[in-house]
Amino acid sequence: MADIKHIFRTVLLGSAVLGGLYAAPSHAEDNDEQALMARGAYLATAGDCVACHTRPGGKPFAGGLEIATPKGAVFSTNITPDPQNGIGAYTLEDFEKALRRGLRKDGAYLYPVMPYVSYAGLTDQDVKALYTWFMHGVQPVAEKAPETQMGFPGNIRMSMMAWNMLAESEKPETGDSATYDKLRRGHYLATALEHCGTCHTPRNFMLVEQQDQYLAGSQLNGWFAPNITPSSTGGIGDWSEDDLVAYLKTGHAKGRSQAAGPMGEAVEHSTSHLSDEDLHALAAFIKQVPAHDDEIDHQARDSFGKATLSADLRSGIVHRVDDLNPLDGPALYDANCAACHGADGAGTADQYVPTLYTNSVVGSGRTDNLVMTILEGVNRSTPSGHASMPSFGGHSDVQRLSDDEIARLVNYLTQRFGSGDHHVTGAQVGAMRPSPPTPTPAPAVSTGAGHVTAPEHT
Ligand code: HEC
Ligand code: HEC
Ligand code: HEC
C-alpha cells in the first residue's frame, strides 16, 4: 500500500499542479506531524473537499459555493482555520462530529449535501490527519460564507434527524488505512473518500442513496452519472482495470469515454492526483461490486457505431455547404464539429479529439450527457494535460446553437454513431440549459429530479 513517502511525493506533485493552492506545512515540527500533514493533504484531495468548499474565483476552502438541491440552495461553509468565519475554533472532536456524523459545532444538523454519510467510514487516524492538515496546512480566510436559507417554514435542519435515521452511513474503518490490502483499500477509497456513490448511486424519494443499487446510475442536474457497475450491457463490464485507471487518472479512456461536467471536475480535483497504486485499488474494487443491468441501456454504451462519411460524401456527390439545409443534422455537424472530430467522426489520430463512435456518451440511450457536452463543452486540466472542447451554449465564444439545432444534432449523431433513433426536442434541450432555469421543465427531460448535486460547473 501507499507508504507515507509515496503519499508525500504525490501530494507535492498534486499541489504543484494545483498552483500553490495549499499553504506549505511550515508548522510541522517532527516527522510524525509531517507524516500526518502529508496524509491529511492527500486525504483532502481524495475526499475532494475543495470542490464544494470553494466558490468560483474564491479562496480555497473559504466556502460560499451555492449547491442546488430540490429543497433549495445550500451554501458550503468556510472550513479554513479562521476562528471567526471558519473552523479555527473546532476541536478534533468537533471536526470528527461534522465529518462523520453531520453535526455542526453548535449541535445543528448539517444538510446531507455534505457527504458525511460517506466520510462516516473514515478511520480515526485519517480523521486526525485531515484535522491536522486543515488546522496547520490551510491558509485561514477571514471571509463569511453566505448563510443557507431554505424557503421552508420551521427548522428544516431538524428534519435531518429523521433523514439520518433512514440513511445508512458507512461504518468507521479501523486500523491504518495505508496498510490495507488492495480490495480493502479500494473499498475505503471508493466509499469513505471518493464518494463515487454520491453521484452514481440512485436515491429514493427521501434522497437517500439506495445501497442495493450501488453505482447503478443517477441524475445529476442535467447530467447523468451512468451505471458503472460491471454489467456488460448496462454498465462498464467491458472495461479493464487499466481502462478505468486511465479514465480516473486522465479523464480519458481511449475509444470508450471522456470525463466532462461534474466527472471532469472529480477527475481534475481528485482522482488524477491519486497514486497509481490507489487508482488500481479503486478500479479493482469498482470492477467487483454487484452488477446491475440498466433499464435504458441494453448494450455496452461504448460499443456502437463505426466511422462513416456523411451520406453525401459516400455517394460521391460533394455538396457546397450552402446546398445543404443549414438546419439539418449533417450541415450542423459539418459546420461545428467535423473540423475537430473529422468528417467520418474518427477524431484525431492521437485521440486527443476522441472518436464519436464507440463513445459512451453518443452510444448511451440517455441523451443527457451528449446535450450537456454540446451546451457546456469540455474543460479539464490534470497533471497529464488539458482537454478542451468549446461550448455551444449561451456563453459560447465560437457558436451559439439554438435549442432546435442542438436537438437536431443530437438526433443525427445518435443515429449515425450511436444507439439509434432518438427524438430529443428543442424544448427538452431548453430545459437543460444551466441558466436561466425554466420554471416548468418538460417532463421527458431528466432535470435531476430529486438530487443532491455536486459542485456547479461553468
Ligand atoms: C459534495 C459537497 C461537499 C464535499 C465534497 C465536502 N463538503 Fe463539507 N460541507 C458541504 C456543505 C454544503 C456544508 C454546509 C452544510 C450545512 O450548512 O448544513 C458542509 C459543511 C462542512 C463542515 C461544517 C462546517 C460548519 O461549521 O458549518 C465541515 C467541518 C466540513 N464540511 C468539512 C469537509 C471536509 C473536511 C471535506 C472533505 C473531506 C468536505 N467537507 C467535503 C459540502 C461538501
Ligand atoms: C460529482 C459527481 C460524480 C462523482 C463524485 C463521480 N462521478 Fe463518475 N461520472 C459522473 C458523471 C456526470 C459522468 C458522465 C460524464 C460525461 O459523460 O462526460 C460520470 C462518468 C463516469 C464514468 C464513465 C462511464 C461511461 O460509461 O462513460 C466512470 C467510469 C466513472 N464516472 C467512475 C467514477 C468513479 C470510480 C468515481 C469515484 C472515484 C466517480 N465516477 C465519481 C459524476 C460523478
Ligand atoms: C475545437 C475542437 C472541437 C470541436 C469544434 C468539437 N469538439 Fe467535441 N471534443 C473535443 C475534445 C478535445 C474533446 C474532449 C476529449 C477529452 O475529454 O479528453 C471532445 C469531446 C467530445 C465528446 C465526448 C464528451 C464526453 O463527455 O464524453 C462529444 C460527445 C463531443 N466532443 C461532441 C462534439 C460535437 C457534437 C461537436 C459539435 C457541436 C463538437 N464535439 C465540437 C474537441 C472538439
Side-chain angles (χ1 to χ4, degrees):
M1 276 301 89
D3 66 347
I4 290 301
K5 261 193 251 113
H6 187 97
I7 288 175
F8 205 11
R9 252 201 329 270
T10 316
V11 169
L12 287 179
L13 197 78
S15 31
V17 169
L18 292 171
L21 216 82
Y22 308 117
S26 55
H27 301 260
E29 270 148 34
D30 52 33
N31 281 344
D32 272 4
E33 181 145 350
Q34 226 165 53
L36 211 54
M37 290 276 283
R39 183 189 279 227
Y42 186 78
L43 294 166
T45 302
D48 209 0
C49 320
V50 77
C52 292
H53 284 280
T54 309
R55 64 177 164 78
K59 299 229 173 68
F61 305 110
L65 180 73
E66 193 178 352
I67 304 171
T69 81
K71 305 246 185 274
V74 174
F75 287 97
S76 65
T77 45
N78 180 333
I79 55 167
T80 73
D82 183 76
Q84 272 80 43
N85 307 286
I87 58 169
Y90 271 57
T91 62
L92 171 61
E93 212 183 10
D94 298 331
F95 184 77
E96 184 277 329
K97 273 196 205 146
L99 212 56
R100 291 200 297 208
R101 289 181 261 172
L103 286 171
R104 211 161 61 181
K105 188 177 170 64
D106 65 5
Y109 290 93
L110 294 174
Y111 295 113
V113 183
M114 163 69 187
Y116 56 83
V117 176
S118 300
Y119 300 145
L122 289 169
T123 64
D124 291 347
Q125 190 186 22
D126 286 347
V127 172
K128 189 171 172 207
L130 276 165
Y131 178 73
T132 308
W133 186 70
F134 271 96
M135 290 302 144
H136 304 295
V138 172
Q139 296 286 6
V141 179
E143 207 177 275
K144 189 130 199 74
E147 296 234 355
T148 296
Q149 306 284 355
M150 290 270 179
F152 268 70
N155 187 350
I156 209 173
R157 287 194 186 272
M158 280 313 290
S159 66
M160 286 303 136
M161 200 196 313
W163 191 90
N164 285 337
M165 286 158 72
L166 293 172
E168 220 179 302
S169 294
E170 294 294 321
K171 301 273 169 297
E173 277 277 13
T174 50
D176 180 351
S177 64
T179 63
Y180 294 170
D181 63 28
K182 187 174 179 184
L183 275 182
R184 188 175 177 200
R185 177 78 182 167
H187 171 265
Y188 185 67
L189 288 165
T191 56
L193 280 160
E194 288 289 345
H195 52 271
C196 314
T198 306
C199 297
H200 285 275
T201 302
R203 293 169 191 259
N204 66 15
F205 72 101
M206 285 289 291
L207 308 187
V208 175
E209 284 174 39
Q210 295 172 269
Q211 290 310 330
D212 58 346
Q213 295 285 311
Y214 183 59
L215 303 182
S218 186
Q219 290 296 340
L220 197 77
N221 247 18
W223 293 86
F224 188 84
N227 181 332
I228 55 165
T229 72
S231 159
S232 56
T233 53
I236 57 169
D238 59 335
W239 292 37
S240 69
E241 184 176 309
D242 286 341
D243 289 334
L244 201 44
V245 168
Y247 186 83
L248 296 171
K249 194 181 169 83
T250 68
H252 192 125
K254 252 187 205 171
R256 296 192 187 281
S257 181
Q258 297 77 40
M263 188 65 207
E265 301 208 348
V267 170
E268 173 166 330
H269 295 302
S270 181
T271 57
S272 66
H273 303 286
L274 294 185
S275 69
D276 285 352
E277 207 173 0
D278 275 352
L279 286 173
H280 277 279
L282 197 50
F285 168 75
I286 303 282
K287 280 189 67 61
Q288 56 79 67
V289 304
H292 290 287
D293 290 342
D294 197 88
E295 45 187 47
I296 294 196
D297 290 325
H298 303 295
Q299 181 186 325
R301 294 181 291 274
D302 55 12
S303 67
F304 286 94
K306 55 183 184 334
T308 53
L309 289 173
S310 70
D312 317 311
L313 291 174
R314 257 205 323 264
S315 62
I317 310 161
V318 180
H319 286 282
R320 290 183 308 135
V321 171
D322 28 291
D323 289 344
L324 294 170
N325 181 344
L327 274 179
D328 280 351
L332 289 166
Y333 180 77
D334 285 351
N336 297 291
C337 322
C340 290
H341 288 282
D344 60 356
T348 50
D350 63 358
Q351 287 296 295
Y352 171 76
V353 180
T355 108
L356 293 180
Y357 47 91
T358 67
N359 183 317
S360 68
V361 162
V362 186
S364 174
R366 293 182 181 83
T367 49
D368 311 43
N369 293 347
L370 183 53
V371 173
M372 291 306 286
T373 300
I374 298 172
L375 281 173
E376 299 194 347
V378 181
N379 186 4
R380 188 185 70 238
S381 287
T382 65
S384 349
H386 188 69
S388 148
M389 159 171 154
S391 95
F392 294 86
H395 303 293
S396 178
D397 44 20
V398 292
Q399 176 71 41
R400 291 180 199 173
L401 294 178
S402 71
D403 295 343
D404 280 338
E405 288 170 328
I406 292 177
R408 278 167 215 254
L409 196 48
V410 165
N411 294 336
Y412 168 70
L413 287 173
T414 47
Q415 169 108 74
R416 186 169 161 204
F417 299 119
S419 57
D421 270 336
H422 290 285
H423 300 283
V424 177
T425 65
Q428 289 172 327
V429 173
M432 291 171 81
R433 288 198 187 253
S435 62
T438 23
T440 45
V445 179
S446 18
T447 47
H451 280 279
V452 171
T453 65
E456 254 176 26
H457 30 270
T458 40

